[in-house]
Amino acid sequence: MTSITHRNAPSEVVQNLQLSGLSQLMARLLAARGVSDAAQTSIHLNALLPPQQLTNNQAMAKLLAEAIKANKKLLVVGDYDADGATATAVAVKGLRMFGANVDFLVPNRFEYGYGLTPEIVKLAATQAPDIIVTVDNGIASVDGVAVANAMGMQVLITDHHLPGSLTPEAACIVNPNQHGCAFSSKNLAGVGVMFYCLLGLRAELREQGAYQSKPEPNLTELLDLVALGTVADLVKLDENNRILVEQGLRRIRAGVCSLGISAILKVAGREPSKVMAQDLGFYVGPRLNAAGRLDDMTLGIQCLLAESEKDAVVLAQQLHDLNKQRRSIEADMQQSANISLDDIAVADQYSISIYEPDWHQGVIGILASRIKERHHRPVIAFADGGAGLLKGSGRSIAGLHLRDALDLLSKHQPDLILKFGGHAMAAGLTIKAEDFNLFKLSFEAVVKSLLTEADLEAVLEVDGSLSASDMTYAVAQTLENQVWGQGFPPPLFYDEFEVVNQRILAEKHLKLSLKARSGSSSILIDAIYFNQTQFLDGPILAAYQLQTNDYNGSQKVQLNIRHVNV
């Protein structure tokens, strides 16, 4: 069952926002998302939190400045997801703007796993770098940093993941989530942290007088990559992140973005000049991630770093083809998972741990997400990791911090989880294949101790009613141009409609004509209900998004139905 709950928009806050010039509708929506002052809606770069407030950022800047002056060889070690890829691209492009001698290395998911492991350090050593710079990883790489130090390579860590009980002995660590960091935004993605390091580096070189006779590097040229990684990694879009995303979107729309991002958008059938934050999450991110899931993220990073349109188009097409392959693999895995879950009393469980020996290690995270959406329970899906090991990828629900739950489990049974890491909503882990059933039972016990039955009920938050007079193309366009995302969800309205007409579209979607009441009058409006093939009877209560629909040169407004109560 899904319960509907209405977001609270304090009337006094709504009034204050209106007085600052916002429409009544936008004031209501922003107030319901924690915005209490018009200053919080600023999208200007000068409203960003200062880079010197990020703990160790100035020390990092001095180390990087010294390395560049001494022409030391830097090697960026990234991660194999979209955040890691964009962070790597930002690091390489940005450091080269400052004249650094820099290259990159990204671990292959299937050979080396995640992070700066001792194995990846030894591979990095074959390129003889003086300094390893990690992006989107490293805060948990205690052993890898120790190996690098022993081999004479300095390690600079930039990361945003939660730290463990031990901190690596790196020369410098910049991470808003490390112990003792007072930076007020804990939600920077890995790419955002690296961007802040570059802002700090420019400030340091400026102070050293490096730009008295030459222009400074224009770091805004990197913001399209920052926006992509921030949206794709599903970090909370707080005020700071919304500025980064908005400024990146503006560069993409203006046609002054990475050739790789432009090429991926085009191969996905999206028009760069009309790009929205959701396009980065739904179209660009998955194609970039497909490289890390099925092949090697080096391909994705090369696309983002492409210096010719020809190269970018070729690489973007390869990413597109990999994503189609990923979707096919995912569909087969979902079918297999559904069969397995049909034999389980899921309603009696607080968690789901699931494994099939033929599942693809690169796709289990998506599978876990799909199962979680369907059953509204924390899910960990496992695949064969070779050498008697299982690699797991988990997704959680509100109310359960997944990494903390795994940490608690590891304290109860220290030998059960070989390694783990992640966030509140997503985590990865490794266990022995022979321990799967023990893990399944133990994880269930931990989750059951942390959640209540009420937590297992799906809750859909809505923004109340939308007046029929606001169901216009102009209002829909205004809403779409706002940056929405994780922690700052797009508006979802809830109203009663009369179903006037309905038909099945493309054998899998329901196309509707609905009548909405507006005082004593009514209006007809088009609607689409994706992945719904059953006709709707009688009046309906629907949760929906207001969207533009540009088709064959015609500009219309339509409702995207997300949930229906008949």
Side-chain angles (χ1 to χ4, degrees), residues 333-343 354 371 374-375:
M333 287 170 60
Q334 278 198 59
Q335 185 176 13
S336 172
N338 290 340
I339 293 171
S340 297
L341 291 172
D342 284 342
D343 297 329
I354 191 166
I371 297 173
R374 180 180 173 188
H375 296 285

Side-chain angles (χ1 to χ4, degrees), residues 521-533:
S521 60
S522 61
I523 65 166
L524 283 177
I525 191 163
D526 290 338
I528 185 78
Y529 195 177
F530 289 110
N531 301 310
Q532 169 72 18
T533 55

